[in-house]
Amino acid sequence: MQFQYWNAEIEKMPRAELEALQLKRLKKEIEIALRAPFYKERLSKVGIKSSDDIKTLADLNKIPFTTKDDLRDGFPYGFLSIPKDEVVRLHSSSGTTGIPTVIYFSKEDIKQWAGYMARCIFATGCTKSDVFQNMITYGLFTGGLGFHQGGEEVGMLTIPAGAGNTARQFKMMQDYQTTVLHATPSFLLHLETKMKEAGVPRESLFIKKAFGGAEPYSEDTRKRIEALLKVDVYNSYGLSEMNGPGVAFECQCKDGLHIWEDGYIAEIVNPDTLQPAKDGETGELVLTILCREATPILRYRTRDLTSFYTEPCACGRTHRKLKRITGRSDDMLIINGVNVFPSQIEEVIMSLKEVGNNYLIVVEKDGALDKLTVKTEVNAEIFMDDSRHLNALKEKIIETLQTSISISPKVELHESGSLPISEGKAVRVHDNRPKDV
């Protein structure tokens, strides 16, 4: 396989040099952080008054963790480290509290972000000859503009298609001979269903690659998208607190996501003890950004669960690889005392060829006990009036789920296309239990 590099000097930098670069950039980011009201107070409490107090990368442990609650408490300008008239853009995400987490960008920050996104896209084999259709939500969400500016940096013809409206999406794919797509995995699955309904022959499309992001998804979902759409699907990872997409991305080997360590310091900790996880052990990803001057964020608890690969990548890049995000430390469902991650259920659902492309997890109270219901569409080729076949499929799903999650859920089968489709991030879990229970 012929590999290509956006910045070979950085991407293949020896580990010792890469870590020296990290330390240099960390010290610079500390100086930036000390100009932000939040960190000026937070760092002074632990005795960090200047970058001179950081001697080695191990000194990162002196810095307390930053959480999403900290970002909300610092709303609107507690994390801003440059004058407001030097800010050229903001992105924000709102949570259940209604208080958004806001990230500000200088002109240099936007340039840096675009460079990391170009590095990601180029690592998958894309070139300026490709036509890139960005089918993700634009606006305050970072995914739209993040990928857009990366596509333009590579030199691809970039189409800001936005989310939804499958008829228009197919028309643009045909008119402009789109070769690369970006969408949520759930929308990519939805495309295949709509392609059949609209009578759009796959042969009329030129798509070769797709980037899946914005929501966690299993390897079985990736394989299903690849088989249905006949494209190469690449996993991406990012979060708005770390610019957005572009933190980590798969290369052409498609075996783990390279985290760009010249821009981010990654740690993996035990989410309960907050102590470093052992090599190869799954834990919570903690990130420190090294490439932003407007909104520094140090040791941010992402709540995403993953682990590092311990072996080098065949592509020659020296930046460590993250394994697929298996879930979040804060989205774990506790069902009658048993810990269940939605990703475990998806892995089972998407491994069954009889099952369709959409599913929903519902948790309710049944008296004193929790009741778990998994609603899933069936393959369009299965007749819904064949009760014997449907009952056998239902039992198969229940048995397979019970083996995976140690719980026997209720399973509902629905016709293909009958469950709601989200144009943005898919909402897969409806936890309807009373909040005070």
Side-chain angles (χ1 to χ4, degrees), residues 357-427:
N357 296 335
N358 204 5
Y359 69 93
L360 190 63
I361 300 165
V362 180
V363 188
E364 300 169 299
K365 273 293 181 185
D366 185 8
L369 297 176
D370 300 319
K371 183 175 73 171
L372 174 65
T373 302
V374 177
K375 302 181 179 183
T376 181
E377 295 177 359
V378 298
N379 193 301
E381 297 171 1
I382 293 178
F383 293 105
M384 286 298 292
D385 57 356
D386 186 346
S387 59
R388 187 174 59 179
H389 193 169
L390 292 176
N391 287 334
L393 174 58
K394 189 181 295 187
E395 288 303 315
K396 181 179 180 180
I397 296 172
I398 292 172
E399 290 174 11
T400 313
L401 282 172
Q402 188 171 23
T403 301
S404 176
I405 64 177
S406 304
I407 290 176
S408 181
K410 178 183 177 183
V411 170
E412 293 182 6
L413 301 180
H414 294 257
E415 288 187 20
S416 178
S418 62
L419 291 179
I421 292 288
S422 174
E423 293 182 356
K425 293 185 181 183
V427 180

Side-chain angles (χ1 to χ4, degrees), residues 303-315:
R303 305 290 182 173
D304 292 322
L305 299 175
T306 185
S307 60
F308 289 124
Y309 278 87
T310 54
E311 62 277 6
C313 187
C315 74

Side-chain angles (χ1 to χ4, degrees), residues 3 7 26 38 40 49 115 125 132 168 170 179 183 232 246 284 286 291 317 338 344 399 402 417 422 428 436:
F3 300 112
N7 186 333
L26 174 61
F38 174 85
K40 184 177 182 180
K49 303 288 181 64
F132 175 43
R168 186 188 63 176
F170 292 135
T179 58
D232 246 353
E284 181 181 331
V286 174
C291 54
R317 291 177 175 86
V338 178
Q344 293 174 287
E399 290 174 11
Q402 188 171 23
S422 174
R428 298 295 196 189
D436 57 344

Side-chain angles (χ1 to χ4, degrees), residues 249-267:
F249 221 89
E250 284 185 322
C251 66
Q252 287 166 281
C253 295
K254 293 169 67 175
D255 184 28
L257 299 100
H258 289 280
I259 184 160
W260 305 124
E261 294 184 272
D262 59 312
Y264 306 91
I265 296 177
E267 307 168 75

Side-chain angles (χ1 to χ4, degrees), residues 218-232:
S218 67
E219 183 62 19
D220 285 307
T221 297
R222 188 234 291 263
K223 289 177 180 176
R224 177 172 289 210
I225 295 169
E226 290 185 325
L228 292 173
L229 292 181
K230 297 179 176 60
V231 294
D232 246 353

Side-chain angles (χ1 to χ4, degrees), residues 269-290:
V269 302
N270 182 303
D272 298 320
T273 66
L274 299 183
Q275 294 303 306
K278 297 176 183 177
D279 283 348
E281 186 177 64
T282 297
E284 181 181 331
L285 180 63
V286 174
L287 291 172
T288 296
I289 195 164
L290 303 175

Side-chain angles (χ1 to χ4, degrees), residues 15 18 21-23 25-26 29 57 60 105 109 112-117 119-120 237-249 258-267 285-292 297 300 302 308 319-320 322:
R15 287 297 308 178
L18 183 54
L21 179 60
Q22 283 186 312
L23 178 59
R25 291 184 175 179
L26 174 61
E29 201 70 20
L57 287 178
L60 190 69
F105 295 84
D109 292 339
Q112 292 284 344
W113 184 15
Y116 283 104
M117 279 306 312
R119 189 190 299 183
C120 294
Y237 175 74
L239 59 162
S240 60
E241 294 83 0
M242 295 289 127
N243 286 343
V247 176
F249 221 89
H258 289 280
I259 184 160
W260 305 124
E261 294 184 272
D262 59 312
Y264 306 91
I265 296 177
E267 307 168 75
L285 180 63
V286 174
L287 291 172
T288 296
I289 195 164
L290 303 175
C291 54
R292 195 167 59 208
I297 296 185
Y300 182 71
T302 68
F308 289 124
H319 299 240
R320 287 184 297 177
L322 295 174

